[in-house]
Amino acid sequence: QIQLVESGGGLVQPGGSLRLSCAASGFTVANRVIGWFRQAPGKEREGVSFIRSSDGYTYYANSVKGRFTISRDNAKNTVYLQMNSLKPEDTAVYYCAASLVATLRSAPYSNWGQGTQVTVSS
């Protein structure tokens, strides 16, 4: 049973930081691409970042480049998204997902977590 569980979301002030976790079971993260996506109210789901866990190759959407860092701990079968300098525009439900293809497009991601809410507000 392939499962992804996000955690670490919450309420943070602008300029603050959060670290999201994506814990995987039923497969090995090191053999997959893990992506982070987000969906804000009234907006389409957008790709934020991905990591090809086998070699650590990463990619970021322009909107988060320089502020977010994706990483993995293969021993824990977990992928993280460190979010710094958070802005109100980052408010969304954040999802992690697994794919065999390295892309920020959502279509190739066949396994999704339930999401964790990130709210950036003063």
Side-chain angles (χ1 to χ4, degrees):
Q1 177 80 319
I2 295 174
Q3 190 170 20
L4 297 166
V5 179
E6 303 94 337
S7 62
L11 175 64
V12 65
Q13 293 183 330
S17 298
L18 285 172
R19 189 181 74 160
L20 306 183
S21 298
C22 174
S25 61
F27 69 98
T28 302
V29 164
N31 297 326
R32 296 289 189 275
V33 175
I34 303 297
W36 283 99
F37 298 80
R38 66 187 183 186
Q39 188 163 20
K43 294 185 178 296
E44 292 288 300
R45 183 173 59 196
E46 65 172 335
V48 174
S49 179
F50 70 77
I51 183 166
R52 188 170 59 208
S53 297
S54 60
D55 62 0
Y57 176 77
T58 60
Y59 186 82
Y60 301 90
N62 288 335
S63 59
V64 306
K65 198 171 298 181
R67 300 187 297 120
F68 291 10
T69 303
I70 192 170
S71 62
R72 89 292 199 194
D73 186 336
N74 288 337
K76 295 182 178 180
N77 213 36
T78 298
V79 172
Y80 304 95
L81 185 68
Q82 179 66 46
M83 306 186 296
N84 299 326
S85 302
L86 282 162
K87 305 174 181 179
E89 308 92 85
D90 297 317
T91 296
V93 177
Y94 283 71
Y95 302 88
C96 66
S99 174
L100 296 175
V101 179
T103 179
L104 278 186
R105 295 186 299 109
S106 62
Y109 290 81
S110 56
N111 303 103
W112 294 80
Q114 292 297 306
T116 184
Q117 176 71 49
V118 172
T119 302
V120 184
S121 176
S122 60

